[in-house]
């Protein structure tokens, strides 16, 4: 894109692509030149005369026999081999109204004389805008203008008459440079809406994106904040991913650099949570949920009891004794959680027995297959962990519902507490045991990599391939019901309602946040021994964005909107990992050889000699 006038008439329309930057306006270029070379009044006169000449040229273009109805401000040149369908599509998007996804600008092909055949293949288009459209654009880009009373303020169309130099019957309020800047801003802001490809170029796919505000408009604050956190967390992982790659390649056995990486990891994990709280508060403020509070939360639908009267609201609602609820919690739920943790620890010890057996077998049978066998116990253990987590989740839901909590918030807090305690111990206990007790860096690295990658593969299968299979089954049902619709000639909206009833029910963001919580634990607690953990997390989250969007739009029924100002208790649990991150830093400091020798010299801290599998690496 170029401005429509230039000091050199022979280079008015230089060849650029459609995404090129707009050249500097004439008056700006000459002003810089004049300030650099001379301070005389003669330079200012030259600039003024050239500026007037430029404006007169554009006015002449608009008023000559070519029939243009607007003043051209920018020239777009497309490649000479651009398909006509693509040209029509682009020009239509530029001229469409804003509410239709266009830029609401004026565009036309450059008129040429019939005898001018030298540039007949060049595709040049003049772009302009009405005065009202330029004023709206000035407000959108935030131009600052001088007011009648002296101060500089951001321009607004509603107060246009309060700005100095504005007159309805004149067009000189905005400078040429400002008009061209507004045009370029509008062209750069064009985005694909419903298009999936560029006309004439089927091999070029368009992926129409949805902003976080569009997600909030359709799904509500709870879902939009989840996608906002997923996007934020993915970008926050990039620095650790970039740092982790060279650490993995060049500092694999340097224990001092492990400690340095753990320190950086500790600071990073603390800082990103604080920045997220600020970013989340900004979104909640824009959506009006930051200060929105429920004075009296209604009882959840699953709450049951004898019908009574609420002493605060005076409404009739079920009443249930808190003593009975506490007895159920402390006599049934708590023992079950403790028993489940004991089972998890027993499974962990079986895993270490398998590791020891496999290591002994590899030492006695040195071969390629025996070396591959070293990864089998970790893979089996990772699969067992995922199975145990899902079984425990189902039982925890039943127990929490049986406790009969009155409020939905109380129900969610007790469920999250049960699930997090078990998942944290089930996923991280073996890693802490290796780090603190066995002090085997090689085994810790191998276990972390296997647990992280295996869990991500399983989650992708459950969240991507399984929804895809459900969606294919949904399509088959749709085709079968379409034949019935045609046969009985039912109304289309009735068909849509019936088809959507076959879709699965979305039970909230609990599982999605739980997955991110565990991923955050792997990266923040143990990535210093496996620096590629952040990189694998980024790759997983990139696919997670699309799979979650797919299942929300194509697999599950749309959930009811719930107002939310943050990610709730998950943010508190993420901050609560801070002491664990500090303990991990101390643990890896203790694994450093000099520190370990110091601990061994102290009788009260001397550890017994472990078996071969437990030997510390030199």
């Amino acid at each position: 894109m170029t401005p429509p006038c230039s000091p050199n008439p022979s280079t008015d329309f230089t060849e650029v692509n459609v995404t090129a930057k707009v050249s500097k306006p004439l008056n700006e270029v000459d002003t810089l030149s004049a300030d650099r070379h001379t301070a005389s009044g003669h330079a200012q006169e030259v600039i003024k005369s050239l500026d007037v000449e430029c404006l007169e040229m554009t006015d002449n273009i608009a008023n000559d026999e070519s029939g243009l109805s607007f003043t051209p401000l920018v020239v777009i040149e497309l490649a000479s081999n651009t398909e006509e369908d693509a040209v029509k599509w682009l020009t239509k998007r530029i001229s469409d109204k804003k509410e239709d996804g266009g830029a609401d600008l004026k565009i036309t092909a450059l008129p040429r004389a019939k005898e001018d055949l030298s540039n007949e293949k060049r595709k040049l288009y003049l772009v302009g805008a009405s005065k009202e459209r330029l004023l709206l654009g000035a407000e959108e880009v935030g131009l600052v203008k001088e007011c009648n009373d002296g101060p500089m303020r951001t321009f607004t169309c509603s107060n246009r008459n309060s700005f100095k130099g504005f007159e309805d019957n004149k067009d000189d309020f905005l400078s040429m440079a400002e008009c061209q800047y507004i045009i370029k801003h509008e062209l750069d802001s064009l985005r694909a809406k419903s298009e999936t490809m560029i006309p004439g170029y089927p091999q070029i796919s368009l992926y129409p994106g949805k902003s976080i505000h569009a997600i909030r408009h359709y799904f509500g604050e709870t879902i939009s904040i989840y996608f906002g956190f997923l996007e934020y967390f993915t970008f926050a992982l990039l620095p650790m991913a970039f740092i982790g790659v060279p650490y993995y390649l060049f500092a694999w056995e340097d224990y001092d650099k492990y400690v340095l990486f753990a320190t950086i990891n500790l600071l990073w994990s603390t800082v990103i949570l604080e920045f997220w709280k600020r970013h989340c508060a900004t979104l909640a403020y824009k959506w009006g949920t930051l200060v929105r509070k429920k004075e009296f939360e209604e009882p959840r639908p699953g709450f049951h009891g004898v019908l009574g009267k609420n002493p605060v609201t005076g409404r009739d609602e079920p009443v249930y004794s808190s003593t009975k609820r506490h007895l159920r919690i402390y006599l049934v739920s708590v023992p079950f959680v403790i028993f489940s943790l004991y089972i998890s620890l027993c499974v962990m010890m079986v895993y270490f027995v398998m590791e020891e057996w496999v290591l002994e077998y590899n030492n006695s049978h040195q071969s390629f297959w025996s070396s591959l066998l070293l990864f089998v116990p970790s893979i089996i253990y990772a699969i067992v962990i995922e199975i145990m987590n899902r079984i425990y989740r189902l039982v925890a839901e039943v127990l929490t519902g049986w406790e009969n909590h009155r409020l939905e918030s109380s129900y969610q807090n007790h469920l999250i507490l049960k699930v997090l305690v078990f998942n944290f111990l089930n996923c991280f206990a073996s890693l802490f045991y290796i780090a603190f007790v066995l002090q085997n860096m090689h085994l810790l690295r191998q276990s972390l990599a296997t647990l992280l990658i295996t869990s991500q593969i399983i989650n992708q299968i459950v969240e991507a391939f399984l929804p895809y299979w459900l969606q294919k089954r949904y399509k088959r049902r749709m085709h079968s019901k379409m034949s019935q619709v045609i046969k009985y000639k039912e109304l289309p909206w009735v068909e849509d309602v019936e088809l959507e009833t076959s879709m699965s029910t979305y039970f909230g963001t609990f599982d999605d946040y739980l997955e991110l919580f565990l991923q955050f634990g792997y990266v923040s607690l143990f990535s210093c021994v496996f620096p590629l953990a952040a990189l694998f997390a980024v790759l997983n989250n990139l696919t997670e964005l699309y799979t979650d969007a797919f299942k929300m739009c194509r697999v599950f029924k749309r959930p009811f909107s719930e107002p939310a100002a943050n990610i709730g208790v998950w943010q508190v649990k993420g901050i609560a990992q801070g002491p664990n991150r500090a303990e991990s830093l101390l643990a890896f400091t203790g694994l450093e050889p000099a520190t370990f020798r110091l601990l061994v010299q102290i009788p009260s801290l001397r550890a017994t000699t472990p078996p071969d599998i437990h030997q510390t690496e030199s």
Side-chain angles (χ1 to χ4, degrees), residues 287-450:
W287 297 339
T289 59
L290 183 61
V291 295
R292 182 176 179 177
K293 297 180 180 179
K294 294 182 179 179
E295 296 184 0
F296 300 103
E297 188 175 354
E298 294 292 335
R300 67 184 190 92
F303 176 65
H304 58 85
V306 180
L307 188 63
K309 189 175 292 293
N310 189 310
V312 179
T313 62
R315 299 177 181 176
D316 293 333
E317 64 179 43
V319 177
Y320 187 78
S321 173
S322 60
T323 303
K324 293 182 179 180
R325 183 182 302 114
H326 290 153
L327 288 175
R328 291 185 175 187
I329 293 175
Y330 294 114
L331 297 182
V332 179
S333 297
V334 173
F336 170 76
V337 173
I338 296 175
F339 176 74
S340 299
L341 297 178
Y342 173 75
I343 296 297
S344 176
L345 293 177
C346 292
V347 173
M348 181 189 72
M349 299 312 297
V350 173
Y351 158 67
F352 287 123
V353 172
M354 293 175 59
E355 283 283 0
E356 186 174 2
W357 178 83
V358 170
L359 184 60
E360 292 177 355
Y361 181 83
N362 182 64
N363 292 334
S364 58
H365 302 79
Q366 292 291 339
S367 65
F368 172 76
W369 298 107
S370 63
S371 61
L372 289 181
L373 193 63
L374 293 174
F375 295 93
V376 173
S378 298
I379 295 175
I380 295 176
Y381 183 53
I383 296 175
V384 171
I385 284 177
E386 292 296 326
I387 295 175
M388 292 176 63
N389 285 343
R390 297 181 186 278
I391 294 176
Y392 178 86
R393 163 69 190 281
L394 297 176
V395 180
E397 286 183 349
V398 174
L399 273 180
T400 309
W402 178 70
E403 291 168 5
N404 197 25
H405 295 277
R406 176 179 175 271
L407 302 179
E408 182 65 27
S409 59
S410 177
Y411 171 84
Q412 290 294 334
N413 290 337
H414 281 79
L415 177 60
I416 290 174
L417 181 61
K418 290 186 184 70
V419 174
L420 279 188
V421 169
F422 180 81
N423 278 260
F424 188 87
L425 183 71
N426 199 30
C427 294
F428 301 136
S430 61
L431 302 177
F432 278 111
Y433 184 81
I434 297 172
F436 282 93
V437 180
L438 305 185
Q439 296 185 341
N440 190 325
M441 184 70 73
H442 176 74
L443 180 59
L444 179 60
R445 184 186 309 132
Q446 175 185 313
S447 299
L448 173 63
T450 306

Side-chain angles (χ1 to χ4, degrees), residues 126-325:
L126 303 177
V127 181
S130 63
K131 177 182 178 181
E132 188 68 23
R133 180 66 185 88
L134 290 173
L135 294 177
L136 291 174
E139 181 176 348
E140 291 177 5
V141 300
L143 289 185
V144 177
K145 288 289 188 178
E146 183 181 359
C147 295
N148 292 327
D149 54 354
M152 305 292 290
R153 294 193 178 94
T154 304
F155 176 78
T156 57
C157 290
S158 58
N159 298 323
R160 64 181 74 179
N161 293 318
S162 63
F163 288 88
K164 185 178 179 179
F166 180 83
E167 296 183 17
D168 290 329
N169 57 350
K170 291 186 177 181
D171 298 333
D172 57 352
F173 177 69
L174 298 175
S175 67
M176 176 71 69
E178 290 170 338
C179 293
Q180 292 170 348
Y181 173 73
I182 293 170
I183 295 293
K184 179 180 181 299
H185 174 268
E186 295 299 332
L187 293 176
D188 290 342
S189 300
L190 281 175
R191 295 291 183 270
K193 293 295 182 179
S194 57
E195 300 93 337
T196 59
M197 53 165 286
I198 297 178
Y201 297 91
Q203 71 278 10
I204 302 178
S205 300
L206 295 176
Y207 297 96
K210 291 293 183 182
S211 67
I212 193 68
H213 303 288
I215 297 175
R216 178 248 176 179
H217 180 75
Y218 189 78
F219 288 105
E221 289 80 11
T222 301
I223 304 298
S224 59
I225 284 182
Y226 163 72
F227 278 100
F229 178 72
L230 178 58
E231 181 183 19
Y232 170 85
F233 182 51
T234 303
F235 280 105
L237 285 168
L238 291 178
M240 297 307 299
F242 289 137
I243 296 174
V245 172
Y247 260 84
Y248 178 83
L249 296 177
F250 305 114
W252 193 240
E253 298 298 339
D254 193 331
Y255 291 91
D256 293 330
K257 294 184 178 179
Y258 281 149
V259 177
L260 177 61
F261 190 88
T263 305
I264 297 174
N265 208 349
L266 176 64
L267 297 176
W268 165 83
S269 57
T270 304
V271 169
I272 65 167
L273 290 177
E274 294 302 319
F275 273 97
W276 163 249
K277 289 194 293 184
R278 183 179 183 86
H279 178 65
C280 185
T282 303
L283 293 177
Y285 176 78
K286 292 180 180 179
W287 297 339
T289 59
L290 183 61
V291 295
R292 182 176 179 177
K293 297 180 180 179
K294 294 182 179 179
E295 296 184 0
F296 300 103
E297 188 175 354
E298 294 292 335
R300 67 184 190 92
F303 176 65
H304 58 85
V306 180
L307 188 63
K309 189 175 292 293
N310 189 310
V312 179
T313 62
R315 299 177 181 176
D316 293 333
E317 64 179 43
V319 177
Y320 187 78
S321 173
S322 60
T323 303
K324 293 182 179 180
R325 183 182 302 114

Side-chain angles (χ1 to χ4, degrees), residues 273 277 420 517 566-579:
L273 290 177
K277 289 194 293 184
L420 279 188
F517 174 83
N566 49 52
I567 61 177
V569 70
W570 296 101
Q571 186 161 293
V572 179
K573 299 303 181 184
I575 296 174
Q577 281 190 0

